[in-house]
Amino acid sequence: MAEHPLLTATPDQRRVLRRAWPHLRPERRGIALALATSAAATATAVAVPAVIGAGVDQLLERDRTGLFAAVAALTVLALLRLVLFRRSELLLITVGERVVRALRELAVTRLSRAPLRFLEAHPSGDLLRRTTTEIADLATFVRSQLPDVLTVAGYLVLTTVLLLTYSPLLTLALAAVFVPAVVAVLRLFKKAADPAFAAEAAAAGKVATTYRELVQSREMLRTGGGTGFWRTRFLADNERRYRAARRSQRTLFLISLSRIVQSVTTAVLLLVGGWLTTRGSISVGTVVVFILATRQLFDSATQASNLVGQVQSTLVGLARLLDLLTTTAPRPALGPPRPASGDRPHPVTAERGPLDLEDVHYAYVAGNEVLRGLSVRVEPGERVGLVGPTGSGKTTLAKLMTGLYAPDSGTVRYDGHDLASLPPDELRRRIVLIPQRVHMIEGTLLDNLRLVPGDPDEQTVARAAGDLGLTGWIGSLDEGLHTDLGRGSGRLSAGELQLIGLVRAALLDPAVLVLDEATADIDPGTARTLEAALDTLRADRTLIVIAHREATIERLPRVIRLDGKTLLPHN
């Protein structure tokens, strides 16, 4: 079995920002400008205690001119702070939203190009959460909390520089009491927070997955009486999420210990500052500067404690998103370099060519092969039926034939070219699969029929449907091609969905068309319409049909019987 990288429920949170830097690099100039503006805004706030301290000294010396100068400086600083803080917030939000938009687009692009085997190996709820909820949380953080995070960081750095400038001795006393205690609190929090927040994110993904299973299986659960079982399972998953959330909140409580540290530090600062003032080592204004500046420092520390949980949650979500982007990154191509998407390369394969499978092996689970050593050749224009008992590997073989799966060993070739080496656009033009379950989007019938490359117009779609003899069926709908199908496929029968898949395939005009159980579980009338539409296909198109209906099999000149893991001689 070929190994495929899988996502990690709780990915590594170390060096997350360093790993995210390649996605930030295109916005590095905007980031630098935003950070510089934020630093300037913070500097205006940090300068306020220094100006007040100077005003206190001038007041004690009865220097009226100096006092008025201090008042004027405070007014200027207030205006500058208002302008710079507003500007820095706008810059941060603008740059941050551009980064989030790029990440969202990249995640969707990577998932749309990910191997089918990868998508099937992961719960859809977890993939949905990583590409929607966690990116939305990141966007919220950028808009609401990121400006506060940078402001707090600026306060901590610039206030420390200010205090060192006024009195290194008093700063040393402050650091000796405050820093070790705060570091101890933060280390204790960090040790408990990493696993707690990661577990909460994983539990939330599990709840989303379970709920999505309900939506997808609602009919089966109701008719089969499985609602109670599902409810029990959902409640269990939700209970685990609740416990994980409580664990995260208990972790946040550790940060409140920093307030005790602040109170003790202020008391020590007053004692040492008063002693130095009586000795004449520092002025009263300096003590005022320290009291006001450390109040800002403590407020910043308190604000930081409130932001820590949000930052931690955001880092966990970012780590999970980066895990998705890394795991779904394009792998080196097996063939020659593919041209850029904007180029129009000449096809490397013939418009009509043979399809060959040579010694193909495939397993979903190591040691339990679904297909073992299959070899078969389908000539251009052949019409072949693929039959066999349930579980014999027919659908798996169809996905291998169409390049949706890659064999663990052996090769699948079209016109002599390995499918893995063909550009995706050319592969999809040459080989198309119509699955048993044709997927729909919300919109009109025309919207759903146009879900093919090239963006065909209404006339092209109508012509393709007419060539298949389906004009009457479309005319029987309320508004023809413009009939609103609403959400999903509830208004159409299984056979009508197959007709939609057939029109989509006709618009692509593939060399090889594979139908997976196209006539299964549909009424005889629709089945006859579908079979008649198949008969109208161009004679040079290869048609491979997986079928159980004898009427369908009898219309095909060649039948390949799949028994277990091997091919039986065909008629």
Side-chain angles (χ1 to χ4, degrees):
M1 175 184 173
E3 292 297 330
H4 293 263
L6 300 178
L7 298 177
T8 304
T10 55
D12 187 4
Q13 300 169 47
R14 294 172 296 179
R15 299 184 294 276
V16 172
L17 294 180
R18 181 183 299 179
R19 287 185 278 132
W21 175 245
H23 304 288
L24 303 176
R25 188 179 293 117
E27 300 292 339
R28 57 186 179 276
R29 292 184 179 178
I31 293 173
L33 179 60
L35 292 177
T37 307
S38 178
T42 305
T44 60
V46 172
V48 169
V51 174
I52 293 176
V56 170
D57 285 337
Q58 299 303 320
L59 180 63
L60 293 176
E61 294 175 5
R62 302 182 182 277
D63 184 349
R64 184 174 300 179
T65 302
L67 180 61
F68 288 156
V71 172
L74 282 175
T75 304
V76 172
L77 286 175
L79 293 175
L80 279 176
R81 179 183 180 184
L82 178 64
V83 173
L84 289 175
F85 267 115
R86 179 58 178 168
R87 182 60 179 166
S88 66
E89 285 184 0
L90 290 175
L91 288 172
L92 284 171
I93 292 173
T94 300
V95 173
E97 288 292 344
R98 286 203 296 262
V99 171
V100 171
R101 181 186 65 183
L103 287 173
R104 183 183 292 111
E105 292 175 351
L106 181 59
V108 171
T109 300
R110 292 276 176 86
L111 274 184
S112 68
R113 297 175 179 173
L116 183 61
R117 193 167 184 174
F118 170 84
L119 298 176
E120 292 176 344
H122 294 89
S124 57
D126 184 58
L127 296 178
L128 183 66
R129 180 175 175 81
R130 293 191 191 223
T131 53
T132 56
T133 304
E134 288 173 352
I135 293 182
D137 291 343
L138 180 60
T140 300
F141 175 80
V142 166
R143 288 192 296 266
S144 303
Q145 285 86 43
L146 182 58
D148 294 336
V149 170
L150 293 179
T151 299
V152 167
Y155 271 135
L156 294 175
V157 173
L158 296 179
T159 300
T160 301
V161 173
L162 176 69
L163 296 180
L164 283 171
T165 302
Y166 269 80
S167 175
L169 183 60
L170 200 54
T171 304
L172 181 61
L174 174 66
V177 177
F178 182 69
V179 173
V182 168
V183 168
V185 170
L186 292 178
R187 290 184 63 180
L188 184 63
F189 171 80
K190 179 69 173 175
K191 183 179 179 180
D194 283 353
F197 283 95
E200 183 180 1
K206 180 64 175 175
V207 169
T209 297
T210 303
Y211 187 79
R212 185 173 179 83
E213 288 175 352
L214 167 68
V215 175
Q216 293 176 335
S217 309
R218 57 190 181 279
E219 293 181 0
M220 182 272 292
L221 289 172
R222 287 188 177 182
T223 57
T227 306
F229 171 80
W230 178 87
R231 185 174 183 275
T232 301
R233 178 179 173 182
F234 179 81
L235 291 177
D237 291 342
N238 203 37
E239 177 66 20
R240 281 189 287 270
R241 180 181 180 180
Y242 169 72
R243 292 177 181 176
R246 289 197 61 183
R247 179 184 175 188
S248 299
Q249 292 303 311
R250 286 196 298 269
T251 301
L252 288 175
F253 176 74
L254 296 174
I255 293 296
S256 63
L257 297 176
S258 61
R259 296 180 180 178
I260 299 176
V261 175
Q262 294 172 14
S263 300
V264 173
T265 303
T266 301
V268 171
L269 188 62
L270 287 172
L271 290 173
V272 176
W275 177 68
L276 291 176
T277 301
T278 57
R279 295 187 56 183
S281 300
I282 59 175
S283 66
V284 174
T286 298
V287 177
V288 171
V289 170
F290 265 80
I291 296 298
L292 294 177
T294 52
R295 177 48 52 192
Q296 283 187 340
L297 191 67
F298 295 157
D299 288 344
S300 298
T302 300
Q303 190 176 6
S305 67
N306 295 330
L307 291 171
V308 163
Q310 296 164 337
V311 171
Q312 188 67 35
S313 297
T314 301
L315 290 178
V316 170
L318 181 58
R320 284 166 56 84
L321 176 60
L322 292 176
D323 181 40
L324 173 67
L325 296 177
T326 301
T327 307
T328 56
R331 299 296 186 266
L334 298 178
R338 297 173 181 174
S341 58
D343 299 338
R344 295 183 178 272
H346 294 290
V348 299
T349 58
E351 186 176 351
R352 298 292 187 257
L355 183 65
D356 292 285
L357 286 80
E358 181 179 345
D359 194 27
V360 168
H361 292 254
Y362 189 86
Y364 291 99
V365 179
N368 185 18
E369 287 189 326
V370 177
L371 301 174
R372 180 189 301 141
L374 297 186
S375 297
V376 66
R377 179 182 177 90
V378 181
E379 297 292 345
E382 261 198 295
R383 301 200 166 201
V384 179
L386 184 61
V387 299
T390 301
S392 58
K394 300 186 299 299
T395 297
T396 301
L397 182 57
K399 291 179 179 179
L400 287 166
M401 287 178 167
T402 53
L404 294 175
Y405 286 171
D408 297 334
S409 63
T411 55
V412 182
R413 297 187 180 93
Y414 170 75
D415 192 34
H417 295 266
D418 192 331
L419 298 189
S421 68
L422 292 179
D425 292 344
E426 182 167 358
L427 174 60
R428 294 282 72 84
R429 285 198 304 270
R430 297 298 188 232
I431 308 174
V432 170
L433 170 69
I434 300 180
Q436 184 174 359
R437 180 183 178 186
V438 175
H439 292 278
M440 307 286 285
I441 63 171
E442 182 177 358
T444 66
L445 174 61
L446 181 61
D447 294 333
N448 280 276
L449 292 176
R450 294 177 65 189
L451 290 178
V452 295
D455 193 22
D457 56 24
E458 183 175 348
Q459 290 73 24
T460 302
V461 172
R463 185 167 54 252
D467 292 341
L468 293 171
L470 300 178
T471 303
W473 168 67
I474 293 177
S476 67
L477 301 176
D478 295 339
E479 300 180 43
L481 287 173
H482 297 282
T483 301
D484 188 0
L485 302 181
R487 294 180 178 271
S489 54
R491 294 189 58 182
L492 300 178
S493 67
E496 289 173 323
L497 294 177
Q498 290 292 330
L499 295 178
I500 289 178
L502 191 59
V503 176
R504 289 175 182 168
L507 288 167
L508 290 173
D509 188 26
V512 180
L513 179 60
V514 182
L515 287 83
D516 185 4
E517 302 284 8
T519 58
D521 301 324
I522 65 177
D523 61 275
T526 307
R528 285 192 295 271
T529 302
L530 178 61
E531 289 164 354
L534 291 175
D535 288 340
T536 65
L537 294 174
R538 289 172 50 178
D540 61 347
R541 190 196 317 274
T542 302
L543 182 63
I544 302 173
V545 180
I546 300 175
H548 281 126
R549 288 169 58 95
E550 290 297 331
T552 303
I553 298 172
E554 290 172 357
R555 301 168 68 92
L556 301 168
R558 179 185 176 190
V559 176
I560 298 175
R561 299 189 180 276
L562 189 63
D563 181 21
K565 302 176 176 63
T566 60
L567 287 176
L568 296 179
H570 60 270
N571 60 331

